[in-house]
């Protein structure tokens, strides 16, 4: 399968980066094609709600920023993995921008499965992020292949690695 991982942590050696790399390694070992993009280093603005995409743009966003690199990757992805730290009870802004900019195409055409990898220093802060993720899966008609959360004492552990490998096995 063609897998796209959108990794949104700005910390080069952070816990979310580790989770995304573990997913990539497991998926490649299983024979999947994987593209991992660090969206935190991209210049992606939020949606302007200008409706250009649904009028004159014929599905193309009026904004010309780094999101232009992601549209073709999203169009070919069969599996989309969102990997993001939790900042103040929800997915970080770095992952929100690309998610919301998909408004112009409504839903990625080939995405049939999704996964969510989230980390935080605190327990009990995942409800908002997982609810949004489930709403996206439902709206895009994508199957939830799994969610892995990792609070401070679960980060970069063999147990978390095994959970990530298990959701790769759900593909």
């Amino acid at each position: 399968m063609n897998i796209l991982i959108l990794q949104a942590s700005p910390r080069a050696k952070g816990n979310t980066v580790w989770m995304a790399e573990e997913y990539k390694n497991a998926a490649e070992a299983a024979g999947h094609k994987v593209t991992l993009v660090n969206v935190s280093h991209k210049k992606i603005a939020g949606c302007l709600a200008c409706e250009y995409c649904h009028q004159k743009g014929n599905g193309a966003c009026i904004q010309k920023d780094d999101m232009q690199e992601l549209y073709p990757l999203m169009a070919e992805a069969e599996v989309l993995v969102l990997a993001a730290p939790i900042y103040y009870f929800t997915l970080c802004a770095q992952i929100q921008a690309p998610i919301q900019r998909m408004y112009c195409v409504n839903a990625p055409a080939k995405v049939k499965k999704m996964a969510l990898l989230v980390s935080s220093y605190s327990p009990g802060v995942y409800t908002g992020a997982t609810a949004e993720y489930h709403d996206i899966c439902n709206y895009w008609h994508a199957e939830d292949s799994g969610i892995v959360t990792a609070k401070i004492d679960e980060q970069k552990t063999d147990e978390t690695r095994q959970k990530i490998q298990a959701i790769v096995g759900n593909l």
Side-chain angles (χ1 to χ4, degrees):
M1 296 186 99
N2 188 359
I3 300 170
L4 175 61
I5 303 171
L6 300 182
Q7 189 287 114
S9 176
R11 296 176 55 220
K13 297 187 187 304
N15 300 306
T16 304
V17 172
W18 179 85
M19 294 174 81
E21 288 290 338
E22 289 296 323
Y23 189 101
K24 180 180 185 287
N25 294 340
E28 287 177 338
H32 301 288
K33 178 185 175 221
V34 182
T35 303
L36 191 153
V37 179
N38 184 340
V39 296
S40 73
H41 293 162
K42 302 289 183 189
K43 298 292 183 199
I44 302 173
C47 177
L48 298 174
C50 66
E51 290 299 324
Y52 174 86
C53 60
H54 295 140
Q55 295 167 359
K56 294 178 187 176
N58 295 316
C61 182
I62 196 167
Q63 298 185 80
K64 304 304 176 213
D65 57 13
D66 289 345
M67 189 64 191
Q68 301 308 310
E69 299 169 29
L70 294 185
Y71 287 126
L73 297 173
M74 294 286 282
E76 293 303 315
E78 298 167 284
V79 177
L80 176 62
V81 179
L82 303 176
I86 300 296
Y87 296 158
Y88 212 71
F89 302 98
T90 192
L91 296 171
C92 66
Q94 293 89 335
I95 199 79
Q96 291 289 356
I99 290 169
Q100 293 172 6
R101 288 283 295 282
M102 289 305 293
Y103 176 70
C104 67
V105 295
N106 193 39
K110 295 181 181 178
V111 170
K112 301 297 179 229
K113 294 186 178 198
M114 292 181 65
L116 179 65
L117 309 173
V118 286
S119 66
S120 175
Y121 281 111
S122 304
V125 296
Y126 301 108
T127 306
T130 57
E132 179 180 358
Y133 165 75
H134 283 124
D135 286 345
I136 294 168
C137 287
N138 289 337
Y139 186 74
W140 287 354
H141 304 288
E143 178 186 332
D144 170 17
S145 64
I147 297 172
V148 177
T149 64
K151 62 182 177 28
I152 189 67
D153 61 337
E154 299 167 328
Q155 295 168 353
K156 298 181 182 177
T157 64
D158 287 335
E159 182 180 341
T160 298
R161 178 181 292 115
Q162 290 169 359
K163 289 177 183 178
I164 292 167
Q165 292 169 345
I167 65 171
V168 170
N170 291 337
L171 300 179

